[in-house]
Amino acid sequence: MFPGKCDGCQGLWESGGPAGAERPALAATLSPGPLFSPGTYERLALLLGSIGLLGVGNNLLVLVLYYKFQQLRTPIHLFLVNISLSDLLVSLFGVTFTFVSCLRNGWVWDSVGCVWDGFSSSLFASLC
């Protein structure tokens, strides 16, 4: 089975049975081992942290400028605010789980965290 971050989300447990079948307590909820070296995880955490901080900062700036300046409140700029708001939500919710996992050298959340990570990233990215 794929040893990536979402073993519990793939429909089959480590034992090979269906997802609803009885299973041992912690089987398939955590990755069996790190996929990358610790240095690679550090670089990924740095990259994701940078993307998250830039995404939050830039999108907050767009929202504040839209709110502050009356002449920016046009229908075209409203589309930009929509994109900025959804990108802000992706930066806050989509990057956070993966960033923390990179700091810990592997996926640290259970299958519910995996589902939430995928759902929130898909939902907020599709709002654009």
Side-chain angles (χ1 to χ4, degrees), residues 29-68:
T29 57
L30 300 175
S31 298
L35 280 176
F36 305 112
S37 68
T40 304
Y41 278 115
E42 289 174 2
R43 286 186 211 97
L44 287 172
L46 179 66
L47 178 67
L48 285 169
S50 301
I51 290 170
L53 287 176
L54 287 172
V56 169
N58 289 333
N59 289 305
L60 279 177
L61 178 66
V62 168
L63 295 174
V64 166
L65 290 176
Y66 181 80
Y67 178 76
K68 186 175 180 179

PDB file of all heavy atoms in Angstrom, residues 29-68:
ATOM      1  N   THR A  29      -3.628   4.392  10.359  1.00  0.00           N
ATOM      2  CA  THR A  29      -3.960   5.777  10.662  1.00  0.00           C
ATOM      3  C   THR A  29      -2.743   6.670  10.575  1.00  0.00           C
ATOM      4  O   THR A  29      -2.873   7.854  10.359  1.00  0.00           O
ATOM      5  CB  THR A  29      -4.584   5.907  12.059  1.00  0.00           C
ATOM      6  OG1 THR A  29      -3.691   5.383  13.019  1.00  0.00           O
ATOM      7  CG2 THR A  29      -5.917   5.189  12.122  1.00  0.00           C
ATOM      8  N   LEU A  30      -1.563   6.126  10.735  1.00  0.00           N
ATOM      9  CA  LEU A  30      -0.338   6.900  10.625  1.00  0.00           C
ATOM     10  C   LEU A  30       0.561   6.266   9.572  1.00  0.00           C
ATOM     11  O   LEU A  30       0.495   5.067   9.323  1.00  0.00           O
ATOM     12  CB  LEU A  30       0.410   6.946  11.959  1.00  0.00           C
ATOM     13  CG  LEU A  30      -0.355   7.572  13.122  1.00  0.00           C
ATOM     14  CD1 LEU A  30       0.447   7.441  14.398  1.00  0.00           C
ATOM     15  CD2 LEU A  30      -0.642   9.032  12.848  1.00  0.00           C
ATOM     16  N   SER A  31       1.404   7.045   8.974  1.00  0.00           N
ATOM     17  CA  SER A  31       2.343   6.513   8.000  1.00  0.00           C
ATOM     18  C   SER A  31       3.296   5.546   8.677  1.00  0.00           C
ATOM     19  O   SER A  31       3.741   5.791   9.798  1.00  0.00           O
ATOM     20  CB  SER A  31       3.143   7.648   7.361  1.00  0.00           C
ATOM     21  OG  SER A  31       2.293   8.523   6.681  1.00  0.00           O
ATOM     22  N   PRO A  32       3.645   4.435   8.020  1.00  0.00           N
ATOM     23  CA  PRO A  32       4.539   3.460   8.629  1.00  0.00           C
ATOM     24  C   PRO A  32       5.950   3.986   8.848  1.00  0.00           C
ATOM     25  O   PRO A  32       6.642   3.544   9.736  1.00  0.00           O
ATOM     26  CB  PRO A  32       4.526   2.290   7.659  1.00  0.00           C
ATOM     27  CG  PRO A  32       3.993   2.821   6.391  1.00  0.00           C
ATOM     28  CD  PRO A  32       3.181   4.031   6.709  1.00  0.00           C
ATOM     29  N   GLY A  33       6.391   4.913   8.052  1.00  0.00           N
ATOM     30  CA  GLY A  33       7.722   5.483   8.205  1.00  0.00           C
ATOM     31  C   GLY A  33       7.841   6.719   7.340  1.00  0.00           C
ATOM     32  O   GLY A  33       7.004   6.977   6.481  1.00  0.00           O
ATOM     33  N   PRO A  34       8.880   7.502   7.556  1.00  0.00           N
ATOM     34  CA  PRO A  34       9.035   8.723   6.762  1.00  0.00           C
ATOM     35  C   PRO A  34       9.299   8.412   5.294  1.00  0.00           C
ATOM     36  O   PRO A  34       9.986   7.452   4.967  1.00  0.00           O
ATOM     37  CB  PRO A  34      10.229   9.421   7.393  1.00  0.00           C
ATOM     38  CG  PRO A  34      10.707   8.592   8.512  1.00  0.00           C
ATOM     39  CD  PRO A  34       9.895   7.358   8.584  1.00  0.00           C
ATOM     40  N   LEU A  35       8.726   9.209   4.423  1.00  0.00           N
ATOM     41  CA  LEU A  35       8.956   9.065   2.988  1.00  0.00           C
ATOM     42  C   LEU A  35      10.269   9.691   2.561  1.00  0.00           C
ATOM     43  O   LEU A  35      10.920   9.212   1.641  1.00  0.00           O
ATOM     44  CB  LEU A  35       7.835   9.748   2.204  1.00  0.00           C
ATOM     45  CG  LEU A  35       6.532   9.010   2.053  1.00  0.00           C
ATOM     46  CD1 LEU A  35       5.521   9.886   1.337  1.00  0.00           C
ATOM     47  CD2 LEU A  35       6.724   7.732   1.302  1.00  0.00           C
ATOM     48  N   PHE A  36      10.646  10.785   3.213  1.00  0.00           N
ATOM     49  CA  PHE A  36      11.819  11.549   2.836  1.00  0.00           C
ATOM     50  C   PHE A  36      12.803  11.609   3.988  1.00  0.00           C
ATOM     51  O   PHE A  36      12.479  11.275   5.123  1.00  0.00           O
ATOM     52  CB  PHE A  36      11.424  12.988   2.447  1.00  0.00           C
ATOM     53  CG  PHE A  36      10.386  13.068   1.379  1.00  0.00           C
ATOM     54  CD1 PHE A  36       9.122  13.544   1.662  1.00  0.00           C
ATOM     55  CD2 PHE A  36      10.665  12.667   0.089  1.00  0.00           C
ATOM     56  CE1 PHE A  36       8.148  13.627   0.686  1.00  0.00           C
ATOM     57  CE2 PHE A  36       9.703  12.740  -0.903  1.00  0.00           C
ATOM     58  CZ  PHE A  36       8.442  13.218  -0.606  1.00  0.00           C
ATOM     59  N   SER A  37      13.978  12.095   3.695  1.00  0.00           N
ATOM     60  CA  SER A  37      14.970  12.304   4.746  1.00  0.00           C
ATOM     61  C   SER A  37      14.558  13.509   5.594  1.00  0.00           C
ATOM     62  O   SER A  37      13.781  14.352   5.143  1.00  0.00           O
ATOM     63  CB  SER A  37      16.346  12.543   4.121  1.00  0.00           C
ATOM     64  OG  SER A  37      16.360  13.789   3.448  1.00  0.00           O
ATOM     65  N   PRO A  38      15.085  13.614   6.824  1.00  0.00           N
ATOM     66  CA  PRO A  38      14.734  14.770   7.667  1.00  0.00           C
ATOM     67  C   PRO A  38      15.074  16.115   7.016  1.00  0.00           C
ATOM     68  O   PRO A  38      14.338  17.088   7.185  1.00  0.00           O
ATOM     69  CB  PRO A  38      15.546  14.541   8.940  1.00  0.00           C
ATOM     70  CG  PRO A  38      15.723  13.059   9.007  1.00  0.00           C
ATOM     71  CD  PRO A  38      15.846  12.614   7.571  1.00  0.00           C
ATOM     72  N   GLY A  39      16.160  16.178   6.280  1.00  0.00           N
ATOM     73  CA  GLY A  39      16.518  17.420   5.597  1.00  0.00           C
ATOM     74  C   GLY A  39      15.497  17.817   4.543  1.00  0.00           C
ATOM     75  O   GLY A  39      15.203  19.003   4.362  1.00  0.00           O
ATOM     76  N   THR A  40      14.962  16.831   3.848  1.00  0.00           N
ATOM     77  CA  THR A  40      13.933  17.117   2.848  1.00  0.00           C
ATOM     78  C   THR A  40      12.673  17.630   3.512  1.00  0.00           C
ATOM     79  O   THR A  40      12.036  18.567   3.024  1.00  0.00           O
ATOM     80  CB  THR A  40      13.632  15.851   2.019  1.00  0.00           C
ATOM     81  OG1 THR A  40      14.840  15.379   1.428  1.00  0.00           O
ATOM     82  CG2 THR A  40      12.617  16.132   0.932  1.00  0.00           C
ATOM     83  N   TYR A  41      12.295  17.027   4.646  1.00  0.00           N
ATOM     84  CA  TYR A  41      11.130  17.513   5.378  1.00  0.00           C
ATOM     85  C   TYR A  41      11.341  18.949   5.863  1.00  0.00           C
ATOM     86  O   TYR A  41      10.409  19.756   5.851  1.00  0.00           O
ATOM     87  CB  TYR A  41      10.807  16.615   6.571  1.00  0.00           C
ATOM     88  CG  TYR A  41      10.004  15.395   6.194  1.00  0.00           C
ATOM     89  CD1 TYR A  41      10.534  14.123   6.339  1.00  0.00           C
ATOM     90  CD2 TYR A  41       8.713  15.518   5.713  1.00  0.00           C
ATOM     91  CE1 TYR A  41       9.797  13.003   6.008  1.00  0.00           C
ATOM     92  CE2 TYR A  41       7.962  14.407   5.375  1.00  0.00           C
ATOM     93  CZ  TYR A  41       8.512  13.151   5.519  1.00  0.00           C
ATOM     94  OH  TYR A  41       7.779  12.050   5.183  1.00  0.00           O
ATOM     95  N   GLU A  42      12.552  19.283   6.269  1.00  0.00           N
ATOM     96  CA  GLU A  42      12.834  20.656   6.698  1.00  0.00           C
ATOM     97  C   GLU A  42      12.683  21.636   5.546  1.00  0.00           C
ATOM     98  O   GLU A  42      12.115  22.722   5.715  1.00  0.00           O
ATOM     99  CB  GLU A  42      14.238  20.745   7.286  1.00  0.00           C
ATOM    100  CG  GLU A  42      14.383  20.063   8.625  1.00  0.00           C
ATOM    101  CD  GLU A  42      15.817  20.038   9.117  1.00  0.00           C
ATOM    102  OE1 GLU A  42      16.704  20.596   8.429  1.00  0.00           O
ATOM    103  OE2 GLU A  42      16.042  19.460  10.186  1.00  0.00           O
ATOM    104  N   ARG A  43      13.173  21.249   4.368  1.00  0.00           N
ATOM    105  CA  ARG A  43      13.036  22.121   3.199  1.00  0.00           C
ATOM    106  C   ARG A  43      11.565  22.281   2.800  1.00  0.00           C
ATOM    107  O   ARG A  43      11.122  23.359   2.431  1.00  0.00           O
ATOM    108  CB  ARG A  43      13.849  21.570   2.024  1.00  0.00           C
ATOM    109  CG  ARG A  43      15.335  21.765   2.191  1.00  0.00           C
ATOM    110  CD  ARG A  43      16.104  21.339   0.934  1.00  0.00           C
ATOM    111  NE  ARG A  43      17.393  20.849   1.323  1.00  0.00           N
ATOM    112  CZ  ARG A  43      17.738  19.581   1.510  1.00  0.00           C
ATOM    113  NH1 ARG A  43      16.860  18.636   1.319  1.00  0.00           N
ATOM    114  NH2 ARG A  43      18.948  19.246   1.874  1.00  0.00           N
ATOM    115  N   LEU A  44      10.819  21.172   2.857  1.00  0.00           N
ATOM    116  CA  LEU A  44       9.393  21.245   2.537  1.00  0.00           C
ATOM    117  C   LEU A  44       8.647  22.119   3.544  1.00  0.00           C
ATOM    118  O   LEU A  44       7.757  22.883   3.173  1.00  0.00           O
ATOM    119  CB  LEU A  44       8.783  19.847   2.508  1.00  0.00           C
ATOM    120  CG  LEU A  44       9.151  18.972   1.314  1.00  0.00           C
ATOM    121  CD1 LEU A  44       8.645  17.549   1.516  1.00  0.00           C
ATOM    122  CD2 LEU A  44       8.600  19.553   0.024  1.00  0.00           C
ATOM    123  N   ALA A  45       9.007  22.008   4.822  1.00  0.00           N
ATOM    124  CA  ALA A  45       8.377  22.845   5.843  1.00  0.00           C
ATOM    125  C   ALA A  45       8.695  24.317   5.592  1.00  0.00           C
ATOM    126  O   ALA A  45       7.817  25.185   5.732  1.00  0.00           O
ATOM    127  CB  ALA A  45       8.828  22.418   7.239  1.00  0.00           C
ATOM    128  N   LEU A  46       9.925  24.617   5.222  1.00  0.00           N
ATOM    129  CA  LEU A  46      10.304  25.996   4.908  1.00  0.00           C
ATOM    130  C   LEU A  46       9.509  26.510   3.710  1.00  0.00           C
ATOM    131  O   LEU A  46       8.987  27.637   3.730  1.00  0.00           O
ATOM    132  CB  LEU A  46      11.808  26.089   4.631  1.00  0.00           C
ATOM    133  CG  LEU A  46      12.338  27.457   4.259  1.00  0.00           C
ATOM    134  CD1 LEU A  46      12.205  28.417   5.435  1.00  0.00           C
ATOM    135  CD2 LEU A  46      13.787  27.358   3.816  1.00  0.00           C
ATOM    136  N   LEU A  47       9.394  25.695   2.687  1.00  0.00           N
ATOM    137  CA  LEU A  47       8.638  26.089   1.492  1.00  0.00           C
ATOM    138  C   LEU A  47       7.163  26.294   1.828  1.00  0.00           C
ATOM    139  O   LEU A  47       6.571  27.313   1.457  1.00  0.00           O
ATOM    140  CB  LEU A  47       8.795  25.029   0.401  1.00  0.00           C
ATOM    141  CG  LEU A  47       8.034  25.276  -0.888  1.00  0.00           C
ATOM    142  CD1 LEU A  47       8.598  26.484  -1.612  1.00  0.00           C
ATOM    143  CD2 LEU A  47       8.096  24.046  -1.775  1.00  0.00           C
ATOM    144  N   LEU A  48       6.560  25.351   2.534  1.00  0.00           N
ATOM    145  CA  LEU A  48       5.143  25.473   2.882  1.00  0.00           C
ATOM    146  C   LEU A  48       4.898  26.638   3.840  1.00  0.00           C
ATOM    147  O   LEU A  48       3.881  27.331   3.733  1.00  0.00           O
ATOM    148  CB  LEU A  48       4.631  24.175   3.502  1.00  0.00           C
ATOM    149  CG  LEU A  48       4.404  23.042   2.511  1.00  0.00           C
ATOM    150  CD1 LEU A  48       4.160  21.739   3.240  1.00  0.00           C
ATOM    151  CD2 LEU A  48       3.249  23.366   1.593  1.00  0.00           C
ATOM    152  N   GLY A  49       5.797  26.847   4.777  1.00  0.00           N
ATOM    153  CA  GLY A  49       5.671  27.991   5.677  1.00  0.00           C
ATOM    154  C   GLY A  49       5.746  29.305   4.916  1.00  0.00           C
ATOM    155  O   GLY A  49       4.984  30.238   5.193  1.00  0.00           O
ATOM    156  N   SER A  50       6.653  29.378   3.957  1.00  0.00           N
ATOM    157  CA  SER A  50       6.766  30.594   3.137  1.00  0.00           C
ATOM    158  C   SER A  50       5.503  30.818   2.317  1.00  0.00           C
ATOM    159  O   SER A  50       4.984  31.940   2.241  1.00  0.00           O
ATOM    160  CB  SER A  50       7.964  30.491   2.194  1.00  0.00           C
ATOM    161  OG  SER A  50       9.148  30.323   2.915  1.00  0.00           O
ATOM    162  N   ILE A  51       5.002  29.750   1.694  1.00  0.00           N
ATOM    163  CA  ILE A  51       3.774  29.860   0.901  1.00  0.00           C
ATOM    164  C   ILE A  51       2.613  30.294   1.793  1.00  0.00           C
ATOM    165  O   ILE A  51       1.808  31.159   1.426  1.00  0.00           O
ATOM    166  CB  ILE A  51       3.468  28.527   0.187  1.00  0.00           C
ATOM    167  CG1 ILE A  51       4.481  28.290  -0.923  1.00  0.00           C
ATOM    168  CG2 ILE A  51       2.050  28.509  -0.366  1.00  0.00           C
ATOM    169  CD1 ILE A  51       4.410  26.906  -1.537  1.00  0.00           C
ATOM    170  N   GLY A  52       2.520  29.699   2.980  1.00  0.00           N
ATOM    171  CA  GLY A  52       1.438  30.047   3.896  1.00  0.00           C
ATOM    172  C   GLY A  52       1.509  31.487   4.361  1.00  0.00           C
ATOM    173  O   GLY A  52       0.508  32.207   4.351  1.00  0.00           O
ATOM    174  N   LEU A  53       2.695  31.929   4.761  1.00  0.00           N
ATOM    175  CA  LEU A  53       2.838  33.311   5.238  1.00  0.00           C
ATOM    176  C   LEU A  53       2.608  34.330   4.126  1.00  0.00           C
ATOM    177  O   LEU A  53       1.931  35.337   4.336  1.00  0.00           O
ATOM    178  CB  LEU A  53       4.217  33.516   5.855  1.00  0.00           C
ATOM    179  CG  LEU A  53       4.441  32.874   7.216  1.00  0.00           C
ATOM    180  CD1 LEU A  53       5.877  33.065   7.667  1.00  0.00           C
ATOM    181  CD2 LEU A  53       3.473  33.454   8.235  1.00  0.00           C
ATOM    182  N   LEU A  54       3.165  34.066   2.956  1.00  0.00           N
ATOM    183  CA  LEU A  54       2.940  34.980   1.834  1.00  0.00           C
ATOM    184  C   LEU A  54       1.476  34.987   1.418  1.00  0.00           C
ATOM    185  O   LEU A  54       0.913  36.044   1.101  1.00  0.00           O
ATOM    186  CB  LEU A  54       3.830  34.604   0.650  1.00  0.00           C
ATOM    187  CG  LEU A  54       5.311  34.923   0.797  1.00  0.00           C
ATOM    188  CD1 LEU A  54       6.109  34.321  -0.355  1.00  0.00           C
ATOM    189  CD2 LEU A  54       5.527  36.414   0.871  1.00  0.00           C
ATOM    190  N   GLY A  55       0.852  33.825   1.420  1.00  0.00           N
ATOM    191  CA  GLY A  55      -0.559  33.745   1.053  1.00  0.00           C
ATOM    192  C   GLY A  55      -1.441  34.502   2.025  1.00  0.00           C
ATOM    193  O   GLY A  55      -2.335  35.255   1.617  1.00  0.00           O
ATOM    194  N   VAL A  56      -1.197  34.329   3.311  1.00  0.00           N
ATOM    195  CA  VAL A  56      -1.995  35.030   4.314  1.00  0.00           C
ATOM    196  C   VAL A  56      -1.742  36.537   4.230  1.00  0.00           C
ATOM    197  O   VAL A  56      -2.680  37.335   4.193  1.00  0.00           O
ATOM    198  CB  VAL A  56      -1.694  34.497   5.734  1.00  0.00           C
ATOM    199  CG1 VAL A  56      -2.294  35.389   6.797  1.00  0.00           C
ATOM    200  CG2 VAL A  56      -2.216  33.076   5.885  1.00  0.00           C
ATOM    201  N   GLY A  57      -0.490  36.934   4.182  1.00  0.00           N
ATOM    202  CA  GLY A  57      -0.155  38.361   4.148  1.00  0.00           C
ATOM    203  C   GLY A  57      -0.690  39.077   2.926  1.00  0.00           C
ATOM    204  O   GLY A  57      -1.329  40.133   3.036  1.00  0.00           O
ATOM    205  N   ASN A  58      -0.442  38.517   1.757  1.00  0.00           N
ATOM    206  CA  ASN A  58      -0.875  39.182   0.525  1.00  0.00           C
ATOM    207  C   ASN A  58      -2.394  39.226   0.402  1.00  0.00           C
ATOM    208  O   ASN A  58      -2.955  40.239  -0.035  1.00  0.00           O
ATOM    209  CB  ASN A  58      -0.272  38.488  -0.693  1.00  0.00           C
ATOM    210  CG  ASN A  58       1.214  38.737  -0.808  1.00  0.00           C
ATOM    211  OD1 ASN A  58       1.716  39.745  -0.341  1.00  0.00           O
ATOM    212  ND2 ASN A  58       1.919  37.805  -1.416  1.00  0.00           N
ATOM    213  N   ASN A  59      -3.058  38.157   0.771  1.00  0.00           N
ATOM    214  CA  ASN A  59      -4.515  38.137   0.641  1.00  0.00           C
ATOM    215  C   ASN A  59      -5.183  39.026   1.686  1.00  0.00           C
ATOM    216  O   ASN A  59      -6.210  39.641   1.400  1.00  0.00           O
ATOM    217  CB  ASN A  59      -5.034  36.704   0.706  1.00  0.00           C
ATOM    218  CG  ASN A  59      -4.663  35.937  -0.550  1.00  0.00           C
ATOM    219  OD1 ASN A  59      -4.978  36.361  -1.651  1.00  0.00           O
ATOM    220  ND2 ASN A  59      -3.971  34.833  -0.385  1.00  0.00           N
ATOM    221  N   LEU A  60      -4.621  39.096   2.879  1.00  0.00           N
ATOM    222  CA  LEU A  60      -5.148  40.048   3.857  1.00  0.00           C
ATOM    223  C   LEU A  60      -4.969  41.481   3.377  1.00  0.00           C
ATOM    224  O   LEU A  60      -5.842  42.325   3.576  1.00  0.00           O
ATOM    225  CB  LEU A  60      -4.470  39.854   5.210  1.00  0.00           C
ATOM    226  CG  LEU A  60      -5.007  38.727   6.079  1.00  0.00           C
ATOM    227  CD1 LEU A  60      -4.178  38.603   7.358  1.00  0.00           C
ATOM    228  CD2 LEU A  60      -6.465  38.937   6.417  1.00  0.00           C
ATOM    229  N   LEU A  61      -3.834  41.752   2.736  1.00  0.00           N
ATOM    230  CA  LEU A  61      -3.597  43.087   2.185  1.00  0.00           C
ATOM    231  C   LEU A  61      -4.651  43.443   1.141  1.00  0.00           C
ATOM    232  O   LEU A  61      -5.193  44.556   1.143  1.00  0.00           O
ATOM    233  CB  LEU A  61      -2.193  43.168   1.582  1.00  0.00           C
ATOM    234  CG  LEU A  61      -1.817  44.488   0.919  1.00  0.00           C
ATOM    235  CD1 LEU A  61      -1.755  45.603   1.962  1.00  0.00           C
ATOM    236  CD2 LEU A  61      -0.492  44.351   0.201  1.00  0.00           C
ATOM    237  N   VAL A  62      -4.960  42.512   0.257  1.00  0.00           N
ATOM    238  CA  VAL A  62      -5.986  42.759  -0.763  1.00  0.00           C
ATOM    239  C   VAL A  62      -7.338  43.046  -0.108  1.00  0.00           C
ATOM    240  O   VAL A  62      -8.046  43.987  -0.493  1.00  0.00           O
ATOM    241  CB  VAL A  62      -6.086  41.555  -1.728  1.00  0.00           C
ATOM    242  CG1 VAL A  62      -7.322  41.658  -2.614  1.00  0.00           C
ATOM    243  CG2 VAL A  62      -4.839  41.455  -2.583  1.00  0.00           C
ATOM    244  N   LEU A  63      -7.702  42.246   0.897  1.00  0.00           N
ATOM    245  CA  LEU A  63      -8.992  42.442   1.562  1.00  0.00           C
ATOM    246  C   LEU A  63      -9.055  43.769   2.315  1.00  0.00           C
ATOM    247  O   LEU A  63     -10.076  44.463   2.286  1.00  0.00           O
ATOM    248  CB  LEU A  63      -9.273  41.271   2.504  1.00  0.00           C
ATOM    249  CG  LEU A  63      -9.468  39.912   1.820  1.00  0.00           C
ATOM    250  CD1 LEU A  63      -9.584  38.817   2.864  1.00  0.00           C
ATOM    251  CD2 LEU A  63     -10.665  39.932   0.901  1.00  0.00           C
ATOM    252  N   VAL A  64      -7.971  44.144   2.976  1.00  0.00           N
ATOM    253  CA  VAL A  64      -7.937  45.413   3.702  1.00  0.00           C
ATOM    254  C   VAL A  64      -8.020  46.593   2.737  1.00  0.00           C
ATOM    255  O   VAL A  64      -8.756  47.560   2.973  1.00  0.00           O
ATOM    256  CB  VAL A  64      -6.672  45.505   4.587  1.00  0.00           C
ATOM    257  CG1 VAL A  64      -6.431  46.916   5.088  1.00  0.00           C
ATOM    258  CG2 VAL A  64      -6.773  44.536   5.746  1.00  0.00           C
ATOM    259  N   LEU A  65      -7.294  46.533   1.625  1.00  0.00           N
ATOM    260  CA  LEU A  65      -7.339  47.620   0.644  1.00  0.00           C
ATOM    261  C   LEU A  65      -8.726  47.745   0.024  1.00  0.00           C
ATOM    262  O   LEU A  65      -9.214  48.855  -0.214  1.00  0.00           O
ATOM    263  CB  LEU A  65      -6.282  47.403  -0.438  1.00  0.00           C
ATOM    264  CG  LEU A  65      -4.832  47.589   0.002  1.00  0.00           C
ATOM    265  CD1 LEU A  65      -3.885  47.249  -1.136  1.00  0.00           C
ATOM    266  CD2 LEU A  65      -4.591  48.997   0.514  1.00  0.00           C
ATOM    267  N   TYR A  66      -9.368  46.615  -0.240  1.00  0.00           N
ATOM    268  CA  TYR A  66     -10.722  46.649  -0.794  1.00  0.00           C
ATOM    269  C   TYR A  66     -11.685  47.294   0.204  1.00  0.00           C
ATOM    270  O   TYR A  66     -12.560  48.071  -0.181  1.00  0.00           O
ATOM    271  CB  TYR A  66     -11.188  45.234  -1.145  1.00  0.00           C
ATOM    272  CG  TYR A  66     -12.572  45.186  -1.736  1.00  0.00           C
ATOM    273  CD1 TYR A  66     -12.784  45.488  -3.067  1.00  0.00           C
ATOM    274  CD2 TYR A  66     -13.666  44.837  -0.963  1.00  0.00           C
ATOM    275  CE1 TYR A  66     -14.052  45.451  -3.614  1.00  0.00           C
ATOM    276  CE2 TYR A  66     -14.941  44.790  -1.490  1.00  0.00           C
ATOM    277  CZ  TYR A  66     -15.127  45.098  -2.829  1.00  0.00           C
ATOM    278  OH  TYR A  66     -16.390  45.069  -3.359  1.00  0.00           O
ATOM    279  N   TYR A  67     -11.521  46.965   1.458  1.00  0.00           N
ATOM    280  CA  TYR A  67     -12.390  47.524   2.485  1.00  0.00           C
ATOM    281  C   TYR A  67     -12.120  49.020   2.717  1.00  0.00           C
ATOM    282  O   TYR A  67     -13.047  49.801   2.918  1.00  0.00           O
ATOM    283  CB  TYR A  67     -12.200  46.748   3.789  1.00  0.00           C
ATOM    284  CG  TYR A  67     -13.019  47.281   4.932  1.00  0.00           C
ATOM    285  CD1 TYR A  67     -14.389  47.041   5.007  1.00  0.00           C
ATOM    286  CD2 TYR A  67     -12.431  48.035   5.938  1.00  0.00           C
ATOM    287  CE1 TYR A  67     -15.149  47.537   6.041  1.00  0.00           C
ATOM    288  CE2 TYR A  67     -13.185  48.537   6.988  1.00  0.00           C
ATOM    289  CZ  TYR A  67     -14.539  48.288   7.038  1.00  0.00           C
ATOM    290  OH  TYR A  67     -15.285  48.779   8.062  1.00  0.00           O
ATOM    291  N   LYS A  68     -10.860  49.405   2.646  1.00  0.00           N
ATOM    292  CA  LYS A  68     -10.475  50.769   2.996  1.00  0.00           C
ATOM    293  C   LYS A  68     -10.811  51.787   1.908  1.00  0.00           C
ATOM    294  O   LYS A  68     -11.236  52.906   2.217  1.00  0.00           O
ATOM    295  CB  LYS A  68      -8.969  50.804   3.291  1.00  0.00           C
ATOM    296  CG  LYS A  68      -8.478  52.129   3.794  1.00  0.00           C
ATOM    297  CD  LYS A  68      -7.021  52.078   4.185  1.00  0.00           C
ATOM    298  CE  LYS A  68      -6.580  53.434   4.677  1.00  0.00           C
ATOM    299  NZ  LYS A  68      -5.182  53.428   5.096  1.00  0.00           N
TER     300      LYS A  68
END
